[in-house]
Amino acid sequence: MPRTFSSINAVRYLLSLAAGALIPLGFSPFDYWPISMLAVGAIFLLSRNLPVKVTALCGFVFGLGMFGAGTSWVYVSIHEFGAASPLLAGLLTSLFVAGVSAAMILPLFWIYGWLNQRKTNAGNKLQPWQQALLFAGLWVLFEWVRSWLFTGFPWLLLGYTLIDTPFSGLAPVTGTYGLSLLITATICLLVTLLIPSSQKKQNLLALLPFMACWALAWSLSSVQWTEKTGTLSFSAVQGNIPQSLKWDPRYVQSTLNTYMDLSEDHWDQDLVIWPENAIPLFYNRAKGLMNQLDRHAKQNNSALILGMPVDDNSGDRTRYYNGILSMGAGEGMYFKQQLVPFGEYVPMEFALRGLIDFFNLPMSDFSKGSPEQELLKAGNAQIAPYICYEVVYPDFAAQLANDSDLLITISNDTWFGQSIGPVQHFQIARMRALETGRYMIRATNDGITALINEKGKVLETIPRFTQGVLSSEAETRSGNTLFMVTGSLPTLLLCLCMIGLALFIRSMHRQVI
């Protein structure tokens, strides 16, 4: 049994780190999806038939590469807007990457390594095709675990890499996790054909159902799961307010003037949309302004949907919410349910609050909105609202979209500057439109503001880091995709079945590979 830190294993760890660092190349803005697929195949080969500890360490350094390269935008938020020095920001970013890898990737590989050491019912070690099914099933289960563990960080889910391919048609059926399973199982079974002395016939037989799924995904791309019921004219306003000035009390009037001026020629639209926290004032402290906006929108028979923080004084203490409001010809108020750790609330606040500016960012004391909230209305249209980070949760987004005619997501990705983070976020939003078969309007402070159709395709957009208004028409649609009805449950059950098949089926041949 090789030692955990032998020279051979050191090379294995370096290759695992490199494989992880290649994963983000499959996502926007790069979109080289086969590279991510090959990287998964590489880590599967690198971690086969090893002691449990070695397998787990391969997984951990793979996670370091994946999250280190794919979520490096965390550094921008900590350094530029959290007022942390480059050294401290680098340290905190490294701790974040290590923490996510240790909590969400290392256990996957530890369990895989442990189960891989078990023998089958026939008394043999797992054959390569069984190892592939086991690895793929665990991979997707842990992608799902990432959506809720420690409030969730469902970033870099492999399924997103297929959004611009002919195979994205599977998303309205299985959701993102189903696409991840298709990618992972296929590449792992393909690389088993490269293993010397392995039983290629069995590997091919296990591969065939997944190859058929690729053909099915292709054919599903032309299926319409929802139907058009009407159109809404809209204008989405991109204010491009610098983050350094957004919460400065001296700049509040300038911010309001910016949005009013940009909207001036667009009140004839059915819908005007301002982004997340477009108004940097608490709702109950800006009642006069809100009444004025409400009257102005009503006079023009237009609905105004905007983001702003809301202070609720109805309880024993004041609670603060990240809100989105509809007024004028619309109605409703929605409070964000999925909060961003450190950005909107501080875990272990008693210990961290005040240590550095990053733990005391503006609007970092929000409460979580109730899951029992009504959809927003704009005229007769029912609108499912998502505030920034909420759009990254596949099942949450699908559930919220039920009974809706249109999706709207508002965001403020200014926190991440010119990094790849906002582009990844936009790609995720597009997948939500595809999974639910609905048009989505995305309004952001500095981009990417866009209109996305029910296939997840971008119809119109305006440049990032500019002030502007996106005016167009969005379809309202009715009906549910299969994913909206079932959620991710069928995919998760399939993963469990694959793991069970890998572990408990009697081997076709009593042979040790």
Side-chain angles (χ1 to χ4, degrees):
M1 180 179 295
R3 292 178 299 168
T4 304
F5 294 103
S6 67
S7 58
I8 294 177
N9 284 334
V11 173
R12 195 185 305 272
Y13 299 145
L14 287 174
L15 291 173
S16 297
L17 181 70
L22 290 175
I23 289 286
L25 291 178
F27 297 82
S28 290
F30 312 107
D31 297 315
Y32 301 121
W33 66 271
I35 293 181
S36 290
M37 192 172 182
L38 291 172
V40 172
I43 190 59
F44 168 67
L45 280 178
L46 286 166
S47 59
R48 283 183 67 250
N49 298 333
L50 298 174
V52 176
K53 289 183 179 180
V54 178
T55 302
L57 278 174
C58 281
F60 176 66
V61 295
F62 175 84
L64 292 179
M66 180 169 72
F67 290 111
T71 64
S72 56
W73 37 264
V74 172
Y75 172 88
V76 178
S77 179
I78 298 174
H79 171 53
E80 294 188 14
F81 303 109
S85 67
L87 182 62
L88 180 57
L91 175 62
L92 291 175
T93 302
S94 299
L95 289 174
F96 168 77
V97 169
V100 173
S101 301
M104 302 181 180
I105 302 297
L106 186 149
L108 155 64
F109 282 81
W110 190 93
I111 293 172
Y112 169 67
W114 179 72
L115 292 175
N116 200 22
Q117 297 301 310
R118 294 170 53 113
K119 296 182 182 298
T120 66
N121 289 346
N124 299 330
K125 292 182 179 179
L126 295 183
Q127 298 183 39
W129 68 269
Q130 292 172 298
Q131 293 174 329
L133 294 184
L134 173 63
F135 183 89
L138 287 171
W139 178 284
V140 176
L141 283 179
F142 271 84
E143 279 198 344
W144 171 73
V145 167
R146 276 199 268 146
S147 72
W148 53 264
L149 186 66
F150 305 129
T151 74
F153 187 61
W155 212 267
L156 299 179
L157 306 183
L158 282 179
Y160 292 127
T161 64
L162 295 183
I163 184 70
D164 289 314
T165 72
F167 311 107
S168 63
L170 195 62
V173 178
T174 66
T176 302
Y177 299 122
L179 294 176
S180 292
L181 183 60
L182 181 60
I183 291 171
T184 311
T186 301
I187 190 60
C188 290
L189 287 166
L190 280 172
V191 299
T192 62
L193 302 178
L194 304 177
I195 299 173
S197 303
S198 68
Q199 298 182 359
K200 304 257 186 322
K201 182 178 179 181
Q202 294 181 28
N203 299 339
L204 281 171
L205 286 174
L207 176 62
L208 286 177
F210 294 98
M211 298 307 296
C213 286
W214 286 92
L216 175 63
W218 191 312
S219 66
L220 288 172
S221 61
S222 61
V223 175
Q224 283 289 355
W225 296 94
T226 57
E227 60 182 19
K228 178 181 176 181
T229 58
T231 59
L232 278 177
S233 62
F234 76 91
S235 290
V237 181
Q238 183 170 291
N240 197 38
I241 308 298
Q243 193 63 38
S244 58
L245 301 176
K246 188 174 183 65
W247 301 104
D248 188 336
R250 297 168 298 179
Y251 200 76
V252 169
Q253 189 59 53
S254 176
T255 296
L256 297 176
N257 292 341
T258 295
Y259 282 104
M260 291 299 294
D261 291 345
L262 288 171
S263 305
E264 184 176 357
D265 297 330
H266 300 274
W267 291 107
D268 58 339
Q269 300 281 66
D270 296 323
L271 181 59
V272 176
I273 310 167
W274 295 357
E276 180 185 15
N277 289 327
I279 299 181
L281 297 169
F282 285 104
Y283 176 78
N284 285 309
R285 303 176 196 177
K287 281 291 187 65
L289 171 65
M290 303 315 294
N291 291 335
Q292 176 186 344
L293 290 172
D294 184 46
R295 287 193 303 270
H296 190 65
K298 280 180 178 176
Q299 289 170 0
N300 291 278
N301 197 31
S302 178
L304 172 63
I305 291 181
L306 58 83
M308 72 181 303
V310 177
D311 48 335
D312 179 7
N313 305 309
S314 61
D316 55 345
R317 67 180 182 90
T318 301
R319 293 183 179 273
Y320 303 99
Y321 297 95
N322 191 345
I324 178 171
L325 292 67
S326 182
M327 60 188 70
E331 62 178 285
M333 182 181 294
Y334 171 81
F335 298 152
K336 188 175 183 181
Q337 299 180 54
Q338 303 287 349
L339 301 180
V340 181
F342 302 108
E344 292 174 317
Y345 78 97
V346 179
M348 299 186 296
E349 181 176 10
F350 67 94
L352 297 178
R353 179 73 74 180
L355 284 181
I356 60 172
D357 287 348
F358 178 66
F359 296 135
N360 198 31
L361 292 172
M363 303 297 105
S364 60
D365 192 23
F366 283 127
S367 296
K368 186 177 181 179
S370 167
E372 305 297 329
Q373 299 186 66
E374 298 289 333
L375 297 178
L376 300 182
K377 292 182 180 179
N380 295 321
Q382 298 282 334
I383 295 177
Y386 307 94
I387 301 177
C388 194
Y389 193 62
E390 288 187 311
V391 83
V392 308
Y393 296 89
D395 290 278
F396 168 81
Q399 184 177 8
L400 192 60
N402 277 306
D403 302 319
S404 70
D405 303 303
L406 176 69
L407 313 181
I408 287 182
T409 178
I410 60 171
S411 186
N412 178 26
D413 287 339
T414 314
W415 293 104
F416 306 108
Q418 299 188 35
S419 69
I420 62 175
V423 187
Q424 294 174 342
H425 194 190
F426 181 52
Q427 183 181 48
I428 293 170
R430 293 174 55 204
M431 184 62 81
R432 299 292 89 85
L434 174 60
E435 288 172 338
T436 58
R438 278 160 172 75
Y439 269 57
M440 173 183 281
I441 303 171
R442 189 171 193 260
T444 70
N445 177 35
D446 66 351
I448 302 169
T449 296
L451 174 64
I452 306 164
N453 73 5
E454 81 283 3
K455 295 294 185 179
K457 305 302 180 185
V458 181
L459 300 182
E460 297 185 51
T461 186
I462 52 179
R464 294 179 68 190
F465 312 117
T466 60
Q467 287 186 358
V469 180
L470 174 62
S471 295
S472 187
E473 288 191 347
E475 291 184 7
T476 55
R477 303 184 71 86
S478 65
N480 289 336
T481 64
L482 187 58
F483 177 67
M484 291 173 68
V485 176
T486 65
S488 297
L489 182 60
T491 298
L492 300 177
L493 291 176
L494 179 58
C495 291
L496 292 175
C497 289
M498 289 168 55
I499 293 170
L501 182 66
L503 294 177
F504 303 116
I505 191 172
R506 188 171 295 276
S507 297
M508 297 180 183
H509 299 281
R510 296 169 178 264
Q511 174 183 339
V512 177
I513 302 301

